[in-house]
């Protein structure tokens, strides 16, 4: 062993990997099972295990492939409450999902959480990379391109990892435009799925907390405005619960046009009978009057002439 000629390495313990035995075989079997699972996932729907159909394939941030119709049915079933989700189902999310296990995909909240997938060469039956012609059988790493503009015809094209590494994102903009952060790896290993799921759930929780904070601030602002209006009503001698119109409404009321056709006549007090008799033409002619009325008229006329 030391080159001194005194030891010959004939014992089994000195042979490389001699003591690994069963563990090496188990790891080999596990690797084969994982590759078979990836190949199966590349051609079947994650929810229903149905074969994938071209132009109807979508994927999520965890790299799972679905039929779009099945995703829609899953979201409808979740909304109507026809299924339940348990922690056991969530923990076994890496298994093929059927039946009630549809609801163990909490990261798929709506259709905006899935993206179209297009196998531009070979279709779903024999998908190949359009750049390197590498077979996309699930074992070879591949990525879905999410374009900056979802309406781009090349949106959802699947490229191999070899094309992205050797050619580079800059030279692959014919399938974009897209950024490195906008590509999703398909058929990831269990370790990659678990790491990605943890990061994704943290991100979604942060978004949920942010949305709740904005709603709370909006609600508080509305309540504050309502309390301010009530306080203003009380200070102006109004009744409790009676809200005054906003200031801009008052300005509109003040600036409202006035109807010029409506003229308010001043109130004139009625005149006495003696006063009215002075201007009565009948008093000059003396018609229909008694002797006393004529005497009064004569006295009033005489007094008017004298003064």
């Amino acid at each position: 062993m030391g080159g001194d000629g005194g030891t010959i390495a004939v014992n089994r313990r000195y042979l490389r990997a001699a003591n690994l035995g069963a563990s090496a075989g188990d790891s080999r079997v596990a690797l084969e099972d994982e590759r078979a699972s990836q190949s199966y996932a590349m051609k079947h729907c994650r929810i229903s295990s149905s074969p994938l159909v071209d132009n109807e394939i979508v994927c999520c941030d965890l790299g799972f492939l679905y039929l779009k119709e099945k995703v829609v049915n899953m979201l409808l079933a979740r909304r109507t409450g026809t299924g339940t989700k348990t922690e056991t189902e969530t923990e076994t999310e890496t298994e093929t999902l059927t039946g009630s296990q549809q609801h163990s995909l909490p990261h798929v909240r709506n259709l905006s959480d899935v993206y179209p997938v297009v196998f531009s060469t070979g279709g779903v039956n024999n998908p190949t990379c359009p750049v390197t012609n590498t077979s996309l059988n699930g074992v070879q790493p591949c990525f879905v391109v999410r374009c900056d503009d979802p309406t781009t015809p090349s949106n959802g094209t699947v490229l191999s990892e070899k094309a992205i590494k050797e050619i580079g994102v800059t030279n692959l903009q014919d399938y974009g435009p897209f950024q490195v952060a906008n590509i999703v790896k398909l058929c990831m290993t269990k370790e990659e799925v678990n790491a990605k799921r943890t990061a994704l759930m943290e991100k979604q929780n942060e978004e949920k907390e942010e949305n709740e904070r904005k709603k709370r601030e909006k609600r508080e602002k509305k309540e504050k405005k309502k309390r301010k209006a009530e306080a203003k009503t009380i200070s102006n001698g109004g009744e409790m619960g009676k809200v005054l119109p906003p200031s801009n409404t008052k300005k509109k009321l003040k600036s409202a046009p006035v109807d010029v056709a409506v003229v308010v006549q001043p109130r004139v007090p009625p005149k006495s009978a003696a006063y009215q008799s002075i201007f009565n033409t009948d008093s000059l002619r003396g018609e229909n009057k008694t002797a006393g009325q004529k005497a009064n008229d004569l006295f009033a006329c005489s007094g008017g002439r004298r003064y």
Side-chain angles (χ1 to χ4, degrees):
M1 290 295 291
D4 56 358
T7 305
I8 300 176
V10 295
N11 293 335
R12 181 176 177 81
R13 67 176 179 272
Y14 296 129
L15 300 179
R16 181 177 298 175
N19 294 326
L20 297 179
S23 61
D26 292 343
S27 62
R28 213 169 22 246
V29 172
L31 181 61
E32 292 177 357
D33 291 343
E34 185 173 6
R35 288 181 176 179
S37 177
Q38 290 174 324
S39 299
Y40 182 87
M42 200 70 179
K43 295 185 178 182
H44 294 81
C45 176
R46 176 75 177 175
I47 297 175
S48 64
S49 299
S50 304
L52 296 176
V53 181
D54 290 326
N55 301 324
E56 296 183 11
I57 309 173
V58 294
C59 75
C60 62
D61 287 319
L62 298 183
F64 299 144
L65 296 175
Y66 313 92
L67 289 171
K68 189 173 182 179
E69 181 183 359
K70 302 301 181 181
V71 175
V72 173
N73 293 337
M74 179 194 70
L75 295 175
L76 291 175
R78 182 184 299 173
R79 177 169 295 183
T80 55
T82 56
T84 58
K85 180 183 71 174
T86 62
E87 295 184 6
T88 304
E89 293 173 347
T90 304
E91 292 174 357
T92 61
E93 187 172 309
T94 54
E95 303 295 335
T96 302
L97 304 179
T98 56
S100 62
Q101 290 180 326
Q102 311 174 1
H103 300 271
S104 63
L105 296 172
H107 63 285
V108 181
R109 300 165 298 181
N110 46 56
L111 287 179
S112 62
D113 291 331
V114 294
Y115 321 104
V117 177
V118 178
F119 295 105
S120 59
T121 306
V124 69
N125 295 325
N126 186 26
T128 56
C129 176
V131 179
T132 62
N133 291 327
T134 304
S135 177
L136 305 178
N137 54 7
V139 178
Q140 297 295 332
C142 56
F143 295 85
V144 176
V145 174
R146 291 169 50 199
C147 297
D148 299 338
D149 184 6
T151 60
T152 306
S154 60
N155 184 43
T157 302
V158 182
L159 301 176
S160 64
E161 185 181 42
K162 182 179 180 180
I164 294 176
K165 285 185 175 181
E166 294 183 358
I167 300 178
V169 174
T170 305
N171 299 324
L172 292 174
Q173 292 303 311
D174 292 341
Y175 300 96
F178 67 96
Q179 309 296 328
V180 180
N182 293 341
I183 58 178
V184 179
K185 187 176 182 180
L186 296 180
C187 301
M188 293 183 283
T189 62
K190 292 183 179 181
E191 293 75 12
E192 291 174 332
V193 169
N194 292 333
K196 183 74 173 180
R197 183 190 295 114
T198 302
L200 182 62
M201 296 305 295
E202 290 178 356
K203 180 181 178 181
Q204 290 183 351
N205 290 334
E206 291 177 357
E207 293 177 353
K208 184 178 180 180
E209 292 176 358
E210 181 67 16
N211 293 334
E212 290 178 354
R213 184 185 64 81
K214 290 182 180 180
K215 290 181 181 179
R216 184 169 59 253
E217 290 180 353
K218 185 177 180 180
R219 184 168 58 252
E220 291 176 354
K221 185 177 180 180
K222 186 176 181 180
E223 292 177 355
K224 183 178 180 181
K225 185 177 180 180
K226 182 178 179 181
R227 290 195 300 267
K228 186 177 180 181
E230 292 177 352
K232 187 175 181 181
T233 303
I234 296 174
S235 62
N236 291 338
E239 297 179 359
M240 190 65 178
K242 182 180 179 182
V243 181
L244 295 178
S247 58
N248 56 353
T249 307
K250 291 183 178 179
K251 292 181 180 179
K252 291 181 180 180
L253 293 175
K254 290 182 179 179
S255 60
V258 180
D259 190 0
V260 295
V262 179
V263 180
V264 180
Q265 299 292 341
R267 184 174 179 276
V268 180
K271 303 299 182 181
S272 63
Y275 180 83
Q276 293 178 359
S277 63
I278 298 175
F279 303 97
N280 192 349
T281 56
D282 294 339
S283 62
L284 300 177
R285 294 191 298 268
E287 296 177 359
N288 300 326
K289 289 187 176 183
T290 61
Q293 290 176 343
K294 292 179 179 180
N296 291 336
D297 292 344
L298 179 61
F299 178 76
C301 292
S302 299
R305 295 190 186 96
R306 184 176 177 178
Y307 296 100

